[in-house]
Amino acid sequence: MIRVHVPCDAGALAVGADKVAAVITREAQARGIELTIVRTGSRGLYWLEPMVEVATAEGRIAYGPVAADDVAGLFDAGFLDGGGHRLRLGRPERIPFLAMQTRLTFARCGVVDPRSLDDYRAHGGWRGLETAISLDPATVVEAVTASGLRGRGGAGFPTGIKWKTVADAKGLQKYIVCNADEGDSGTFADRMIMEGDPFVMIEGMVIAGLAVGATKGYIYTRSEYPHAVATMRAAIEITRRAGLLGEDVAGSGRSFDLEVRVGAGAYVCGEETALLESLEGKRGIVRAKPPLPAHKGLFDAPTVINNALSVAAIPFILAEGPKAYADFGMGRSRGTMPIQIAGNVRYGGLFETAFGVTLGTLVDDIGGGTATGRPVKAVQVGGPLGAYFPRQLFDTPFDYEAFAAKDGLIGHGGLVVFDDTVDMAKQARFAFEFCALESCGKCTPCRIGSTRGVEILDRVLLGGGTDADRALVADLCHTMKFGSLCALGGFTPYPVMSALTHFPEDFGLVPHLQAAE
Amino acid sequence: MPIHETWNPERAAELIAEHVHEPGPLLPILHAVQETFGHVPADAVPLIAEALNLSRAEVHGVVTFYHDFRSEPAGRRVLKLCRSEACQSMGAEALAKQAEARLATRLGSTTPDGRVTLEPIYCLGLCACAPAAMLDGELIGRLDAGRLDTLLAEAQS
Ligand SMILES: Cc1cc2nc3c(=O)[nH]c(=O)nc-3n(C[C@H](O)[C@H](O)[C@H](O)COP(=O)(O)O)c2cc1C
Ligand code: SF4
């Protein structure tokens, strides 16, 4: 039977993938051709979505971006045998955007049927879990430490050390919580992996559970991700039926089970302690630390809380060994990072690569510059709390420390590209506005300071700024940075100050050599 | 277009009973109530509070904390426009103005005829196909002025 792959990833659906799948089915029927449509995740080449792949004798051949209107023409061109057509892209693995990547975490995404356990196993799935079951738990934790994996949710804390803390903590009940509350604009990797390869998340969480002695896990994700929720829930059910979740995980005699919980549109619930509050059914108010979640987390029990990408990196590390992962990267940033290139960019998508690639390479060479064809003015890296980088800083390598040294952060790995029509004073205002909107309200600098920031910038946007305004903004940012409990209030100064420092002209100010901080 | 049930305390009690024994059941219950009735009616709050052994104020506090939960019904159709940075970089602000002008309503409100609720949303994870929107459950990427017009017409019809 001919197999045609059409993504069911939300990004592909948003540009018409369902319609394309329906028209392919209809057209095949009309022509008396039997075929099966396999709904996969996305390869992450979003400018080519909907990207349709046909399994041929020479491997898969991709076509894209396919509109419903193109389908009849594709049949005429013999696309089911890989025939020539203006949308023909050839072998997907050879498309430079994909060929240049190192896909460790996303190896299967866009390739397999996300609801097929057989596909998952055939593509190397469950080997990490098998290894983990054969090792004693402390050795599993050591492997994660040795891999050098650091949290992909933003803070970059070593995952192995977090696991060891929970493993060593006393408690009858422990939890694994996966933070898939991906709220940063410019990021979509958690969504993609949940929609495209949900079993890798499950496998990562089961390994974490066995390693630290937790028997229950929660995946907390966003209400804005209904497709990810549905796929994740279906995959959990399939896994449970296969005996890989539940009372006796894969015949190991140990139990672990898993559940998806859905947030309700609060950005701050991505902060780990607010997330725990939310899981407990409360308002998402940030908790003071200590105690760390590792000691007193969900329902006061020792809890590992890890980002979805941290979790999804685990099966590879166990299956291939920590060295295979740690061999990639630079400095203290080991392994690969699924970088998300978004916004006003020609080739937007998911680019998983070893740490060390420069921002300029990502934006200009891989991203191909702006979608509008205008010059790139700024790139916001790391979500709404991340700094705006001007072209002068494009030589910064993608690495936790290198970005911190430039007063920025890599966060969850999102890049949002802006062309030269952007007004950076407006972007700074938005950073304050977003902070005001999403503040949990616990700290005055965050709750009130952000609103004051909006007011000052409204004035600047109306009549141009003065040096007094600059000093006021800098002072406000200083107060927020040092007087906030969490990074929402504490890091909002990054986008604001980077905009002000690198683009003073947009604030009606003359460049100032000393950054006003 | 989503079809919602009219308020009915027995139905609400059923929804509560489905989740009450889960750990941390409040958000799952509120989601179930909103999915069923289209909003979280004021009458649901005391029922939930009693079932979970919480004060009404605590339940009310949770309902109002989260942007998703609405205390009043929405319009027949709900159009959400992404307002986050990735969509801003591709002209989301102009699209929001266009929608506000055409519907003669502001983001965050419902047209007087009750047909359309226009809302901001902060990131749908479609940042590489920006600007993005959602009409009821349907996702729309690479939105532009022309496609927005079509969407608005559909929403208003
Ligand atoms: C306002 C705010 C939002 C956050 N949002 C997320 C998020 O959506 N996903 C995430 O994994 N971490 C988020 N974090 C970071 C978490 O607090 C935490 O560091 C992370 O979940 C730990 O997992 P990791 O060590 O695997 O990165 C956020 C932090 C703050 C302050
Ligand atoms: S900084 Fe803001 S979001 Fe964070 S705890 Fe304080 S008030 Fe809450």
Side-chain angles (χ1 to χ4, degrees):
Chain A
M1 177 87 83
I2 303 168
R3 289 163 72 89
V4 179
H5 301 84
V6 184
C8 61
D9 171 278
L13 296 179
V15 293
D18 271 350
K19 200 161 167 207
V20 169
V23 178
I24 292 174
T25 305
R26 200 189 326 130
E27 196 67 34
Q29 273 164 2
R31 294 172 190 240
I33 301 170
E34 274 196 56
L35 54 75
T36 311
I37 294 200
V38 182
R39 301 306 295 265
T40 62
S42 171
R43 298 258 194 182
L45 283 58
Y46 281 105
W47 77 98
L48 296 175
E49 291 290 3
M51 186 164 107
V52 173
E53 296 179 22
V54 188
T56 72
E58 308 101 85
R60 289 196 195 170
I61 300 294
Y63 296 82
V66 178
D69 295 348
D70 296 318
V71 170
L74 283 167
F75 273 91
D76 292 341
F79 86 122
L80 295 177
D81 302 308
H85 187 276
R86 83 192 146 78
L87 297 177
R88 189 181 192 274
L89 303 162
R91 300 282 302 275
E93 319 75 65
R94 295 196 192 137
I95 300 172
F97 191 92
L98 207 48
M100 284 189 290
Q101 302 194 33
T102 303
R103 288 211 163 176
L104 307 185
T105 301
F106 278 77
R108 278 174 296 262
C109 193
V111 178
V112 296
D113 173 352
R115 299 185 187 218
S116 163
L117 211 52
D118 291 341
D119 253 16
Y120 185 63
R121 197 182 289 281
H123 287 81
W126 305 122
R127 288 198 298 120
L129 177 61
E130 279 158 22
T131 309
I133 289 175
S134 73
L135 299 172
D136 80 285
T139 313
V140 176
V141 175
E142 275 162 31
V144 174
T145 306
S147 74
L149 176 66
R150 292 166 70 180
R152 302 297 187 228
F157 188 82
T159 305
I161 295 180
K162 192 180 275 189
W163 286 24
K164 181 152 182 3
T165 311
V166 175
D168 291 345
K170 293 203 182 5
L172 289 174
Q173 175 72 63
K174 296 179 186 179
Y175 294 102
I176 308 295
V177 172
C178 173
N179 187 344
D181 196 46
E182 193 168 59
D184 291 359
S185 176
T187 67
F188 44 82
D190 298 356
R191 177 185 65 63
M192 268 183 73
I193 201 86
M194 287 191 282
E195 291 171 354
D197 193 15
F199 296 114
V200 80
M201 299 268 302
I202 298 172
E203 185 177 355
M205 289 193 70
V206 177
I207 295 171
L210 298 182
V212 307
T215 51
K216 175 88 203 218
Y218 289 95
I219 296 176
Y220 184 97
T221 189
R222 321 174 56 220
S223 57
E224 292 86 345
Y225 284 3
H227 299 278
V229 170
T231 309
M232 220 44 255
R233 284 191 170 144
I236 288 171
E237 191 48 45
I238 293 166
T239 311
R240 200 178 283 137
R241 270 192 266 120
L244 292 154
L245 277 174
E247 290 297 306
D248 178 16
V249 171
S252 66
R254 292 189 275 165
S255 82
F256 187 79
D257 216 330
L258 195 53
E259 194 180 311
V260 176
R261 284 291 177 93
V262 183
Y267 177 74
V268 74
C269 287
E271 195 282 334
E272 55 187 11
T273 62
L275 187 155
L276 296 174
E277 291 285 304
S278 181
L279 266 179
E280 292 179 5
K282 304 178 193 146
R283 295 183 297 150
I285 308 278
V286 174
R287 297 179 186 169
K289 286 186 275 194
L292 293 172
H295 291 127
K296 235 171 153 275
L298 186 61
F299 303 117
D300 286 341
T303 303
V304 167
I305 174 157
N306 268 137
N307 174 252
L309 298 181
S310 314
V311 168
I314 297 294
F316 176 90
I317 291 167
L318 268 295
E320 306 299 328
K323 188 171 178 302
Y325 193 76
D327 278 347
F328 293 98
M330 72 173 273
R332 290 174 49 221
S333 305
R334 308 313 314 173
T336 58
M337 182 73 197
I339 296 168
Q340 300 126 83
I341 308 177
N344 190 339
V345 68
R346 191 158 168 213
Y347 306 128
L350 183 112
F351 195 85
E352 181 177 353
T353 188
F355 285 95
V357 58
T358 67
L359 182 57
T361 303
L362 289 166
V363 172
D364 294 328
D365 303 336
I366 295 159
T370 62
T372 44
R374 303 183 63 94
V376 174
K377 177 162 168 177
V379 182
Q380 188 178 29
V381 185
L385 308 174
Y388 285 97
F389 279 69
R391 187 164 277 285
Q392 305 90 276
L393 296 179
F394 275 16
D395 58 350
T396 312
F398 215 83
D399 161 77
Y400 292 98
E401 280 68 39
F403 267 71
K406 299 284 166 65
D407 288 325
L409 47 101
I410 64 172
H412 185 51
L415 264 51
V416 178
V417 180
F418 289 83
D419 74 12
D420 62 348
T421 59
V422 66
D423 177 345
M424 296 307 295
K426 269 194 185 165
Q427 297 311 116
R429 182 196 182 280
F430 177 76
F432 277 132
E433 183 190 353
F434 188 71
C435 179
L437 194 67
E438 300 295 335
S439 170
C440 85
K442 193 156 177 163
C443 330
T444 314
C446 170
R447 190 182 70 238
I448 308 289
S450 51
T451 304
R452 290 282 296 123
V454 171
E455 289 162 9
I456 299 169
L457 287 175
D458 273 340
R459 217 171 53 222
V460 168
L461 281 161
L462 269 178
T466 62
D467 277 326
D469 292 324
R470 185 199 313 244
L472 210 54
V473 170
D475 194 44
L476 184 60
C477 282
H478 185 84
T479 307
M480 288 176 71
K481 192 166 175 178
F482 295 101
S484 296
L485 188 57
C486 87
L488 182 51
F491 287 5
T492 292
Y494 279 119
V496 173
M497 290 309 297
S498 58
L500 184 57
T501 306
H502 302 303
F503 307 95
E505 21 350 305
D506 285 10
F507 296 75
L509 295 164
V510 286
H512 211 244
L513 282 181
Q514 268 170 323
E517 198 188 3
Chain B
M1 202 175 75
I3 313 277
H4 295 121
E5 300 173 26
T6 48
W7 168 249
N8 165 347
E10 285 80 46
R11 181 83 177 96
E14 265 172 47
L15 297 171
I16 294 168
E18 268 172 43
H19 296 282
V20 73
H21 299 295
E22 294 169 12
L26 185 48
L27 259 67
I29 289 175
L30 292 174
H31 276 304
V33 167
Q34 177 147 314
E35 214 163 276
T36 307
F37 302 112
H39 66 297
V40 180
D43 288 347
V45 172
L47 293 181
I48 298 170
E50 191 181 344
L52 302 189
N53 211 0
L54 296 170
S55 70
R56 289 178 191 201
E58 279 169 300
V59 176
H60 180 75
V62 172
V63 174
T64 50
F65 180 85
Y66 293 94
H67 300 304
D68 277 3
F69 299 129
R70 34 175 122 253
S71 302
E72 299 296 327
R76 280 200 310 156
R77 309 294 300 265
V78 179
L79 178 64
K80 299 187 183 191
L81 296 177
C82 179
R83 303 276 286 145
S84 289
E85 291 91 334
C87 288
Q88 290 166 17
S89 78
M90 290 298 282
E93 200 180 322
L95 295 176
K97 291 211 172 98
Q98 180 187 339
E100 287 184 332
R102 162 121 191 209
L103 298 175
T105 191
R106 302 297 304 261
L107 272 174
S109 42
T110 302
T111 53
D113 62 6
R115 279 180 201 263
V116 190
T117 297
L118 182 66
E119 284 182 341
I121 191 165
Y122 293 89
C123 199
L124 289 159
L126 305 176
C127 322
C129 355
M134 183 152 84
L135 179 60
D136 299 323
E138 188 199 342
L139 298 170
I140 302 107
R142 295 184 203 140
L143 193 63
D144 56 25
R147 298 192 58 205
L148 178 59
D149 255 335
T150 316
L151 270 187
L152 290 168
E154 189 191 329
Q156 282 177 307
S157 66

